[in-house]
Amino acid sequence: MGIISLKSLNISFPIFNPMKNTEILTCFQCGTCHASCPSGKYTSLNVRKIVRDSVRKDISDQPELWMCTTCYNCQERCPRGIKVTDFVLTLRSEAVKKGKILPAHRKVCNFLIKTGQSIPIDDKHRDIRKKLGLRIDEAARKKALKDVKKLLISTGFGELIKK
Amino acid sequence: MKDLSLFAGCLIPNRYPGIEKATGLVLDRLGIKCFELKEAACCPAPGVYRSFDKITWLTLASRNLVLAEEKGTDILTICNGCFSSLMDANNILKNDAVLRNEVNAHLKKIGKEYRGTIEVRHIMEFLHTDIGVKKLSDAIEKPLEIRTAVHYGCHLLKPTKERKLGSAECPVFFDELVEATGAKSVPYEGKTSCCGAGGGVRSAMLETSFKMTEYKLDRIVRAEVDCIIDSCPFCHLQYDAGQVELKKSGKNFDIPVLHFSQLLGLALGYTPEDVGLHLNEIINPGFFGKIAEIQKRNAPGR
Ligand code: SF4
Ligand code: SF4
């Protein structure tokens, strides 16, 4: 009897695993995640395939990573207890590190950098607030923005999204 | 009862201020002391920032948490996104000393330090646990008598290991609160399914997000309800503004969307204008008429 090669056993060995997370190796490709996915019903997102492929290759380029609404259905129902949604988030941040950022998301990030908020106030809503008797503490917002700017410089966020 | 700090977020003050107004009115009426966290910034939104860079997400969230720590109050959120970001960040930082040190090194630059001394609450679970269904229904003199479709929203319930609010498959607490107002929570297919907005999908892939929204709206309309009740301005925006978009392709739903604070406001006798319903995109005159009629019937002295 010859030596059995590992390859013939057909076990997946991780070659690309940004999470250093061995938990996903327990995935037995049952498809519960994909079957529970509201986005996968309408898009090419197949989170079962994402889990499978991510251990074999770099999938940072896949647009499907950004089709997930982070609804957590897959994570809740995975019979192996794999944190599937958290894993998608990790894969996304790997993609971001490589400069793979969708234009709309870059725009939201720039709002945060400029205003301290992701959805800044506009004139229409400034007006509505006034009519409702709700005020905006401009001084407090300015203070917040000053802090946010300092923190974003400190964490290197501006550099990250410039890529 | 301990005072709370209200964390209003970005979307409510800047796009749906009626929800902020309604929340203020109902908390006041229930005798809950809640002061706005004025220097707060973006929570930051979990979909984009948590995906992009965990440390940045944690650091900005921790700054908001510290503002409440300095006041010695828990945080009350009225948005599932803010709840998710702030609660998850709080749990992570309480339990992970390495991350806490890293975040504190950044916070030091603005003269702050995260200590882990407060909790993050969401108005729905707060009302259910700390006020209770009984007390709430006692505060309401006459029932609201409408049929509603409750939408919990994903991040209010999940991940269940973090939220600890019970089942995400068959949750009940939100329905109980809705029924405390006299309204009926009507079951419908896909009730716990996503509105389609989260994870940065709405901002980057609007069409895709609307497919999920359309599925929900279709099932909601089939349940023959008067309105949708949510607990999150992002779901609110997706359903409300989403209907305007879907109209362009000939899909008319015309179903009013209310945050629970607004529903509770109506049940406590405030008018639709008081709770900012006229600021929604979808204005359904039939619904306004029905509320006016119920409120007239329920007016004191009758
Ligand atoms: S549900 Fe879990 S075990 Fe099943 S395919 Fe998905 S990740 Fe793998
Ligand atoms: S969290 Fe993302 S991948 Fe998982 S079921 Fe929801 S949309 Fe699909």
Side-chain angles (χ1 to χ4, degrees):
Chain A
M1 198 166 57
I3 297 166
I4 303 170
S5 81
L6 285 173
K7 207 173 164 197
S8 72
L9 282 176
N10 201 19
I11 297 171
S12 302
F13 287 95
I15 57 165
F16 180 82
N17 189 349
M19 209 177 188
K20 316 235 172 352
N21 160 329
T22 51
E23 174 197 89
I24 62 161
L25 298 175
T26 67
C27 167
F28 63 140
Q29 289 290 296
C30 67
T32 304
C33 48
H34 180 50
S36 307
C37 178
S39 177
K41 245 193 216 172
Y42 303 104
T43 65
S44 50
L45 168 62
N46 181 335
V47 70
R48 176 188 59 81
K49 277 195 190 150
I50 288 196
V51 173
R52 182 191 68 192
D53 294 348
S54 64
V55 289
R56 300 195 182 137
K57 58 182 186 207
D58 180 355
I59 59 165
S60 301
D61 267 328
Q62 290 191 7
E64 284 79 7
L65 283 180
W66 301 96
M67 295 176 186
C68 162
T69 66
T70 70
C71 79
Y72 283 96
N73 275 1
C74 51
Q75 180 156 326
E76 287 293 321
R77 292 182 183 164
C78 171
R80 290 290 208 220
I82 298 169
K83 290 187 175 153
V84 190
T85 314
D86 291 348
F87 184 61
V88 170
L89 294 181
T90 305
L91 292 171
R92 282 180 172 189
S93 47
E94 288 300 314
V96 166
K97 271 188 211 145
K98 296 189 179 107
K100 312 220 180 300
I101 300 174
L102 297 173
H105 292 157
R106 205 184 291 273
K107 202 170 142 196
V108 175
C109 292
N110 281 319
F111 280 143
L112 178 72
I113 293 173
K114 286 198 189 102
T115 68
Q117 297 190 310
S118 294
I119 299 141
I121 188 91
D122 53 19
D123 288 340
K124 179 180 161 196
H125 291 90
R126 215 181 272 281
D127 215 46
I128 291 174
R129 291 188 66 85
K130 211 177 265 167
K131 283 193 191 121
L132 290 176
L134 297 167
R135 52 187 295 267
I136 298 176
D137 191 326
E138 299 287 355
R141 283 204 175 176
K142 245 182 219 154
K143 174 78 177 55
L145 178 59
K146 210 172 135 202
D147 280 1
V148 166
K149 280 193 166 153
K150 272 190 199 158
L151 292 174
L152 290 178
I153 289 170
S154 183
T155 64
F157 188 72
E159 288 305 309
L160 182 74
I161 66 151
K162 256 188 218 144
K163 273 188 199 163
Chain B
M1 195 180 297
K2 243 173 87 178
D3 291 358
L4 291 156
S5 286
L6 178 71
F7 185 90
C10 302
L11 192 48
I12 288 181
N14 299 342
R15 291 297 178 273
Y16 283 100
I19 299 175
E20 184 180 335
K21 170 99 185 293
T23 303
L25 293 175
V26 300
L27 290 178
D28 200 43
R29 181 70 75 80
L30 295 170
I32 299 159
K33 289 220 168 64
C34 194
F35 304 96
E36 190 197 338
L37 213 49
K38 284 190 184 132
E39 276 178 27
C42 182
C43 56
V48 171
Y49 307 108
R50 192 175 183 175
S51 303
F52 273 39
D53 183 42
K54 191 171 177 182
I55 291 297
T56 299
W57 168 70
L58 279 174
T59 303
L60 289 198
S62 70
R63 177 184 171 275
N64 291 322
L65 295 165
V66 169
L67 293 175
E69 287 184 1
E70 288 168 353
K71 291 196 152 86
T73 62
D74 286 347
I75 284 180
L76 185 73
T77 56
I78 46 179
C79 162
N80 294 358
C82 300
F83 182 51
S84 156
S85 253
L86 295 173
M87 179 195 244
D88 286 350
N90 202 26
N91 286 348
I92 291 170
L93 292 172
K94 274 186 186 175
N95 296 314
D96 189 326
V98 176
L99 284 173
R100 189 166 61 237
N101 286 338
E102 193 172 343
V103 160
N104 271 332
H106 294 301
L107 284 179
K108 208 170 174 192
K109 297 182 182 158
I110 57 163
K112 297 208 183 293
E113 187 191 359
Y114 172 86
R115 294 201 165 84
T117 53
I118 60 136
E119 300 296 334
V120 178
R121 311 293 307 265
H122 186 289
I123 190 164
M124 300 312 299
E125 56 86 22
F126 170 79
L127 289 175
H128 196 266
T129 319
D130 292 36
I131 304 297
V133 173
K134 168 102 182 39
K135 202 172 157 199
L136 201 67
S137 62
D138 285 351
I140 291 152
E141 286 173 11
K142 299 250 174 85
L144 211 45
E145 288 163 6
I146 50 170
R147 289 168 60 84
T148 70
V150 170
H151 175 80
Y152 281 76
C154 302
H155 297 135
L156 176 61
L157 302 165
K158 297 174 280 188
T160 48
K161 282 192 183 121
E162 301 293 324
R163 298 292 172 274
K164 298 190 174 75
L165 294 173
S167 163
E169 306 287 3
C170 314
V172 290
F173 65 94
F174 196 151
D175 305 87
E176 287 174 0
L177 290 168
V178 165
E179 301 221 324
T181 68
K184 186 161 171 44
S185 167
V186 181
Y188 63 96
E189 184 194 320
K191 182 170 168 184
T192 53
S193 192
C194 177
C195 70
V201 177
R202 183 192 159 82
S203 57
M205 301 176 185
L206 199 61
E207 291 300 316
T208 298
S209 76
F210 283 151
K211 291 199 174 120
M212 290 174 252
T213 316
E214 192 186 334
Y215 164 85
K216 290 278 312 199
L217 287 168
D218 181 64
R219 301 311 186 274
I220 285 169
V221 164
R222 282 191 216 175
E224 297 178 346
V225 293
D226 295 304
C227 60
I228 300 172
I229 311 295
D230 59 60
S231 63
C232 170
F234 212 41
C235 307
H236 193 97
L237 171 78
Q238 187 69 3
Y239 286 131
D240 184 41
Q243 288 185 64
V244 178
E245 288 292 324
L246 289 166
K247 226 176 234 177
K248 290 179 192 158
S249 45
K251 288 153 193 152
N252 269 315
F253 293 101
D254 220 23
I255 180 147
V257 185
L258 283 74
H259 187 282
F260 180 75
S261 291
Q262 296 176 306
L263 178 81
L264 185 54
L266 293 178
L268 291 169
Y270 293 106
T271 67
E273 284 73 25
D274 289 338
V275 300
L277 287 191
H278 61 300
L279 300 168
N280 274 349
E281 299 287 337
I282 296 295
I283 305 290
N284 179 325
F287 180 72
F288 278 64
K290 192 166 188 171
I291 295 294
E293 207 175 283
I294 292 170
Q295 288 187 327
K296 206 165 132 199
R297 205 177 334 126
N298 288 353
R302 278 201 56 146

